[in-house]
Amino acid sequence: MLACVVSASVPTGAFAQVDPNDPAEARTRYEAPVAKAAGSDIPGWPQANTRERAGLGLLSVVDQYQADLSRLALDRGLADPVHAWAERMLADHAAARGRHDPWLPDLGQPRAQAWMRRGQRQLAAFRAAEADDASPHYVRAMSVSLAEALQLLDEELIPQASSPRVHAYLSGLREPLADDLAAARRLMARDGAANGASP
């Protein structure tokens, strides 16, 4: 992972802010990604335009949410094979931590801030759920998040990417994401069949 650059302050606005650089954003609430400063003056860093940086900011938020959700789910205890899948998802996210950083994702934008707050609420709801519901709750939540990320890539980020290197980077994220979504849906179908429901 490349070294972090100087952090940028998150702009204030009419809505409640989530400061990505505030250590008070504890993991039990939401481990928000670290905001990056504009990098146009940093030699060797691949550049993304403003719209691309905004989209990559959303992907950074999604990545962190999925990592935090997987970590929390494992702490609560999961049934096999959900436990094995959650371990793999957490390991994959740990290995890919900061993968969007070279593009300097914009985390201060209102949409990314809103997704961070939503992540906080979803993690709080997961913690409040009954322990017996951890496995299906986790798989459902991951399936929704993975589908949202795939839709974001297909409908917004890839079509709107004008920088060839950014376009190639985003396109390369699609297949692994689709594979993870397919795995989540297989787990959901298996759980439904085990409970007598139609897959």
Side-chain angles (χ1 to χ4, degrees):
M1 175 178 160
L2 295 174
C4 292
V5 296
V6 179
S7 298
S9 60
V10 179
T12 57
F15 52 86
Q17 289 285 319
V18 177
D19 184 353
N21 301 312
D22 183 357
E25 294 295 339
R27 178 171 295 171
T28 53
R29 289 182 55 203
Y30 179 75
E31 186 178 313
V34 177
K36 304 297 176 183
S40 59
D41 58 342
I42 302 177
W45 281 55
Q47 296 303 303
N49 62 37
T50 300
R51 174 185 287 179
E52 291 164 342
R53 289 183 62 229
L56 287 157
L58 295 176
L59 287 181
S60 294
V61 171
V62 171
D63 276 357
Q64 189 61 61
Y65 165 71
Q66 291 177 2
D68 288 347
L69 180 62
S70 298
R71 185 182 298 107
L72 181 58
L74 288 166
D75 287 345
R76 289 180 63 88
L78 298 170
D80 290 332
V82 177
H83 187 277
W85 185 68
E87 284 187 324
R88 183 176 69 80
M89 292 299 295
L90 184 57
D92 288 350
H93 279 84
R97 185 175 176 86
R99 63 178 170 175
H100 309 306
D101 286 3
W103 306 103
L104 304 177
D106 180 3
L107 303 173
Q109 52 163 316
R111 193 176 176 191
Q113 291 282 306
W115 283 26
M116 287 182 195
R117 293 193 299 274
R118 184 183 63 179
Q120 291 174 345
R121 294 192 298 270
Q122 290 170 335
L123 291 172
F126 186 84
R127 285 192 299 274
E130 294 293 332
D132 292 344
D133 192 44
S135 291
H137 191 152
Y138 167 68
V139 175
R140 285 194 302 269
M142 284 294 290
S143 181
V144 169
S145 183
L146 289 163
E148 182 177 53
L150 190 61
Q151 181 179 20
L152 180 66
L153 280 174
D154 287 345
E155 297 183 3
E156 293 186 47
L157 306 191
I158 294 175
Q160 294 174 3
S162 57
S163 306
R165 293 177 68 187
V166 174
H167 188 280
Y169 172 74
L170 293 172
S171 297
L173 299 177
R174 192 192 185 286
E175 184 175 354
L177 190 60
D179 289 345
D180 288 339
L181 178 58
R185 288 176 172 168
R186 285 193 298 271
L187 287 170
M188 289 178 66
R190 179 179 301 185
D191 181 67
N195 288 284
S198 298

